[in-house]
Amino acid sequence: MDIYQPLPVDFYQQDTLELAKSLIGCMLVHETTAGISAGAIVETEGYLGAADKAAHGFKYRHTKRTEVMFGAPGHAYTHTMHTHCLINVVSGAIGEPESVLIRALEPLTGIDLMLQRRPVNKLPLLTNGPGKLTKAMGISMAAYGHSFLQPPIWIAVPRVKPKITTGKRIGIDGSGEAKDYPYRFWAANHPFVSK
């Protein structure tokens, strides 16, 4: 879709935490045979690989599961957690297993399609969590290793850049001091941010 222009490769070549902030407001777009769904990213978390006990690059090191994170930035790292597929943006230099988790988004295009995939009675519940948004957008483990520079899944320029709030990441209590790192970023006072 012309209104959703993919971001250039150099966008992904910034520091991981800066990328996590820069992604707020950008559009995550997924094109399928059923149609296009898209939403504005409103929440992210940065993971700093070998220096971060909460990161998969630290815990699992270089395995088949994490291989894509050791490659070029701007690719999708998908993994499952509690049966849910989560999608991350690979970041950092080649050989440095860093990534940014997309935690929540505001649906803007293809909302009816998203509701077919994930029926809810209140729209903010549709995509206000990392597993919720992938189900609503039809994103599966098949996206592993895909470049965000092109369809069927890509990240597009933001419509609006909201004010960003920073805090602790969610659901990583067993990661020592890393549980307190302020590597979570979200659009301030946004109703689609995860709880």
Side-chain angles (χ1 to χ4, degrees):
M1 290 180 76
D2 291 340
I3 62 169
Y4 295 133
Q5 291 297 317
L7 288 159
V9 65
D10 59 356
F11 174 82
Y12 300 99
Q13 295 169 346
Q14 56 186 313
D15 170 83
T16 293
L17 298 182
E18 288 304 312
L19 177 62
K21 288 184 272 188
S22 297
L23 282 165
I24 303 294
C26 292
M27 304 295 297
L28 178 64
V29 189
H30 188 204
E31 183 175 16
T32 69
T33 55
I36 288 181
S37 53
I41 298 169
V42 298
E43 183 181 3
T44 62
E45 287 180 346
Y47 289 89
L48 300 184
D52 184 350
K53 289 182 180 178
H56 286 180
F58 178 92
K59 187 174 181 181
Y60 299 106
R61 302 192 182 279
H62 196 159
T63 66
K64 185 176 180 181
R65 178 189 188 192
T66 61
E67 183 175 3
V68 70
M69 287 201 297
F70 289 81
H75 289 80
Y77 167 53
T78 51
H79 63 92
T80 55
M81 182 171 289
H82 308 301
T83 73
H84 300 293
C85 174
L86 277 57
I87 190 163
N88 301 257
V89 179
V90 173
S91 57
I94 292 175
E96 300 294 330
E98 300 183 6
S99 66
V100 176
L101 172 66
I102 300 175
R103 276 203 63 88
L105 57 81
E106 176 186 1
L108 294 172
T109 298
I111 294 174
D112 288 345
L113 178 57
M114 292 190 211
L115 286 167
Q116 289 173 27
R117 294 174 177 141
R118 191 170 183 280
V120 293
N121 56 10
K122 293 182 180 178
L123 198 58
L125 299 177
L126 182 60
T127 52
N128 68 339
K132 295 176 181 180
L133 74 89
T134 52
K135 184 171 183 181
M137 294 192 70
I139 296 171
S140 70
M141 287 297 295
Y144 182 94
H146 177 76
S147 170
F148 283 112
L149 302 178
Q150 60 193 10
I153 301 174
W154 70 99
I155 296 174
V157 295
R159 289 185 175 180
V160 181
K161 283 304 291 182
K163 180 181 177 184
I164 298 173
T165 303
T166 303
K168 297 178 184 179
R169 295 172 294 188
I170 296 173
I172 55 166
D173 292 341
S175 58
E177 71 278 3
K179 68 181 175 53
D180 296 320
Y181 295 165
Y183 294 170
R184 177 176 166 241
F185 308 94
W186 66 94
N189 304 312
H190 200 288
F192 286 84
V193 170
S194 66
K195 304 302 180 191

